[in-house]
Amino acid sequence: MLSVVVSILLSIFTPPVDYDISLAGNFGEPRPNHFHGGLDIRTEGVEGKHVYAIGDGYVSRITVGKYGFGNAVYITHPTGQTSVYCHLKSFSPRIKAALRRYQYQHKTCEADARLTPLDVPVSQGQFIALSGNTGHSTAPHLHLEVHDTKTWNMLDPYQFLSESIEDSLAPQIHAVMAIPQKGGTFDGIATPSTFSPQRPAATAWGRVGFALWADDYMQGSYNHYGIHETLLYVDGNMVFHSVVDDIPVRINRMVNAWGYYEHWLRHKTWYMKSYTEPGNFLACLQTDGNRGVVDFDEERDYHLEYVLHDFKGNETRYAFTVQGRKVRAAGKSRQPAATLRWNRTNSYSRPGMQLIVPYGYVAADTPLTPVVRRQPEAYSDAIQLTASSCPLLYDAELSIFVQRDVADPSKLYVTDENGRFLGGDFHNGWVTGRIRELASRFEVAYDDSPPEVTPLSFSGERLRLSVADGKSGIASWTATVDGRFIVFDALEKSSTYACELRESWLRPTGRDHRLRFEVTDNCSNTRIYETSFTY
């Protein structure tokens, strides 16, 4: 049945470019805090390649500066999917006009237009944009995503474009990691260790999990890609099976629980676990009753085998033997100051701070090693909850006590060592923010200064301003000309805000006009800049 569905989909969708597809990245590759949610299609190292709709449908959303996508177009298809085209240089004239209509109808400078099926219908193969390098992109390419329209789960675009992509190379295994669980050992030690596929038989006792460092490859490219399907067998019985083709966006950060995150921090290579943590709810992972952990409880040979497939069905196998050999269990380890339990809501307090981590925000029990650095002259002490990076699956709540009187407590907020605004809810001497990383250094900051606005140019058909805020950051902006709303765009990767007069309601009559530009930061400080110009 699945093959029939895939075949039907392949007959519906066509490539988004008019040349042979070469991939810089594939779907589901592990990244810190997220899976790669689509295909990165090369654009021959340049911007300005034509991008086409992969199927019939309508433009349902147009965004600029959202989610690291830069300029992006969303097309909803009648087959139940929505395709998303990201890092674009520019939109087609029709789509750009629809964006402007939405902004003026809703009087919003934010470029996030939600459209109806009648606004911009498109046909398969219709030109929609030029490829670019906007957003969180380090080189020109097209990032293509496909989502289930109803659930918004990320789907592998490969299943819709497989016939257009050549791949005859099988995945390659680089190394295996043994991760002893509580009371377990591997080669006589209780800490994680790695070994290459060429090594002789090993020994183990107790519960041991395994993780795999492997990459997929395609001809004509030096890039490496994530593994589509992984199976682990023990004595012929499957204990672990992953198929990376459908990932809910809401649990995207679960990649840190599937991958061995601590190793990635040190070495920048991902070992993907062939077992699951108790709080890992990724549906693309299937295990036996032991969650994929192998219990070496007999003194005999255990025969393990990895089987890897890419989307084209190219296969790699690796078999190895582990000898069950009874050894004395390791002694008790030192207990941490506190532990976040994966299966309950956690509340942890120390003088001057309180942390609330609800159920499901960590995938396994997580030790805390809190450090409070006294700062008598600052608004609060500085707080660090773990010594090394420990990202949460969702944003938790951290409250910090304010130790200095301020003129306006509503201007207080929680920040980290990078100066990011993490929220600023003040109540009874405490400021509460939302955090996603326990190892950052958190403290309270104060911002009662409005953003700075500097004029850059007022000539021709474009008005340009520079907007900066060195503390809590820009929250919103709006503008009027002669009292009537006009759109200013926040330009990608810069502090410049620009108004394209030819795309506005204003007409070139040579008359003088009055511009009023208003910008507000995250602590509700507002700057109003006014000037006159001729157009």
Side-chain angles (χ1 to χ4, degrees):
M1 181 64 182
L2 178 61
S3 62
V4 174
V5 173
V6 172
S7 178
I8 293 174
L9 291 174
L10 288 174
S11 67
I12 293 174
F13 295 103
T14 54
V17 295
D18 55 6
Y19 51 86
D20 291 340
I21 291 179
S22 176
L23 298 183
N26 73 336
F27 178 81
E29 289 179 10
R31 309 280 176 86
N33 302 314
H34 71 284
F35 292 94
H36 188 237
L39 300 181
D40 282 346
I41 298 173
R42 285 198 178 91
T43 57
E44 300 175 342
V46 300
E47 301 181 40
K49 294 289 185 179
H50 282 209
V51 177
Y52 305 95
I54 64 173
D56 295 341
Y58 70 96
V59 175
S60 53
R61 191 178 182 187
I62 312 163
T63 64
V64 176
K66 292 283 187 180
Y67 321 117
F69 286 172
N71 300 324
V73 173
Y74 297 63
I75 297 178
T76 296
H77 305 282
T79 49
Q81 299 82 31
T82 296
S83 53
V84 188
Y85 312 76
C86 309
H87 307 315
L88 305 171
K89 179 180 181 180
S90 60
F91 306 116
S92 71
R94 190 175 175 215
I95 292 175
K96 184 62 174 289
L99 170 64
R100 289 292 184 241
R101 282 197 304 272
Y102 180 93
Q103 289 174 302
Y104 279 104
Q105 287 171 1
H106 294 81
K107 295 184 178 180
T108 176
C109 287
E110 185 179 25
D112 188 358
R114 310 296 180 103
L115 308 183
T116 72
L118 299 180
D119 288 327
V120 188
V122 295
S123 301
Q124 183 180 68
Q126 182 174 331
F127 168 70
I128 58 171
L130 295 177
S131 66
N133 189 29
T134 58
H136 295 170
S137 171
T138 58
H141 71 282
L142 169 65
H143 176 79
L144 173 69
E145 294 191 359
V146 176
H147 292 254
D148 182 293
T149 302
K150 184 176 182 180
T151 66
W152 206 242
N153 284 9
M154 300 182 293
L155 307 177
D156 188 352
Y158 206 132
Q159 64 186 296
F160 309 107
L161 301 174
S162 177
E163 292 184 350
S164 304
I165 303 173
E166 296 296 325
D167 180 10
S168 60
L169 299 181
Q172 180 179 336
I173 294 174
H174 305 302
V176 178
M177 178 183 290
I179 308 173
Q181 308 297 291
K182 186 176 181 180
T185 63
F186 188 84
D187 272 351
I189 61 175
T191 55
S193 59
T194 61
F195 57 92
S196 69
Q198 291 75 35
R199 69 160 291 162
T203 63
W205 192 253
R207 291 168 56 80
V208 178
F210 292 90
L212 188 66
W213 174 26
D215 290 305
D216 192 20
Y217 297 90
M218 296 180 183
Q219 61 267 34
S221 172
Y222 292 105
N223 289 70
H224 54 81
Y225 312 98
I227 303 300
H228 174 69
E229 182 177 25
T230 303
L231 303 100
L232 176 61
Y233 294 90
V234 178
D235 296 332
N237 299 311
M238 187 177 69
V239 301
F240 175 83
H241 184 200
S242 66
V243 181
V244 187
D245 59 3
D246 186 330
I247 301 172
V249 172
R250 61 183 176 81
I251 57 174
N252 209 358
R253 291 190 223 167
M254 199 75 74
V255 66
N256 297 327
W258 181 17
Y260 196 76
Y261 185 75
E262 294 86 348
H263 188 276
W264 180 87
L265 281 175
R266 295 190 297 268
H267 305 287
K268 304 307 181 212
T269 54
W270 279 106
Y271 279 81
M272 306 308 291
K273 298 170 186 172
S274 305
Y275 65 96
T276 58
E277 304 289 358
N280 186 336
F281 305 117
L282 284 169
C284 62
L285 311 181
Q286 302 296 321
T287 65
D288 64 358
N290 290 327
R291 294 186 289 101
V293 176
V294 183
D295 194 356
F296 296 94
D297 58 357
E298 299 178 15
E299 293 193 306
R300 63 174 179 86
D301 286 350
Y302 290 76
H303 301 283
L304 288 78
E305 184 179 31
Y306 273 108
V307 181
L308 277 59
H309 298 116
D310 61 19
F311 200 92
K312 285 285 192 179
N314 300 305
E315 180 181 274
T316 293
R317 289 177 174 265
Y318 165 53
F320 59 102
T321 300
V322 177
Q323 299 172 352
R325 182 179 298 173
K326 192 171 185 178
V327 297
R328 181 178 298 178
K332 293 183 178 180
S333 58
R334 185 177 179 181
Q335 293 299 311
T339 299
L340 302 179
R341 305 296 180 184
W342 73 270
N343 58 352
R344 73 183 189 202
T345 293
N346 300 268
S347 177
Y348 176 72
S349 299
R350 288 193 65 175
M353 64 144 290
Q354 182 177 46
L355 175 68
I356 304 294
V357 180
Y359 164 80
Y361 280 41
V362 291
D365 290 350
T366 301
L368 294 180
T369 54
V371 174
V372 178
R373 190 179 71 186
R374 302 301 176 189
Q375 300 183 137
E377 303 303 318
Y379 296 102
S380 75
D381 294 332
I383 298 162
Q384 186 172 347
L385 296 159
T386 57
S388 61
S389 177
C390 184
L392 300 168
L393 301 178
Y394 306 97
D395 292 355
E397 187 177 282
L398 176 66
S399 299
I400 304 177
F401 183 72
V402 181
Q403 59 191 15
R404 283 179 55 187
D405 292 333
V406 296
D408 185 353
S410 70
K411 307 299 184 183
L412 294 164
Y413 63 100
V414 177
T415 187
D416 61 13
E417 67 271 20
N418 295 312
R420 287 176 291 203
F421 177 84
L422 302 176
D425 183 12
F426 179 82
H427 184 68
N428 288 341
W430 294 77
V431 179
T432 300
R434 307 289 297 180
I435 68 170
R436 64 173 60 182
E437 165 62 70
L438 298 178
S440 294
R441 190 178 69 251
F442 305 104
E443 59 184 285
V444 172
Y446 185 75
D447 182 8
D448 62 355
S449 301
E452 295 293 332
V453 178
T454 305
L456 295 179
S457 67
F458 292 86
S459 60
E461 296 186 325
R462 195 181 219 197
L463 310 180
R464 296 169 66 243
L465 300 166
S466 174
V467 180
D469 187 274
K471 291 188 176 180
S472 61
I474 305 299
S476 64
W477 69 97
T478 190
T480 60
V481 169
D482 302 333
R484 184 176 174 183
F485 173 79
I486 198 165
V487 171
F488 265 77
D489 295 315
L491 301 189
E492 282 284 332
K493 302 177 181 179
S494 78
S495 61
T496 302
Y497 291 62
C499 174
E500 301 291 345
L501 294 174
R502 66 182 181 280
E503 297 174 0
S504 74
W505 51 266
L506 195 61
R507 296 294 174 260
T509 61
R511 296 175 54 190
D512 290 338
H513 302 278
R514 190 68 178 171
L515 169 68
R516 184 181 190 274
F517 184 89
E518 181 177 321
V519 57
T520 303
D521 66 21
N522 283 301
C523 284
S524 300
N525 302 299
T526 297
R527 173 79 67 185
I528 296 175
Y529 173 80
E530 294 187 276
T531 191
S532 296
F533 68 97
T534 303
Y535 180 63

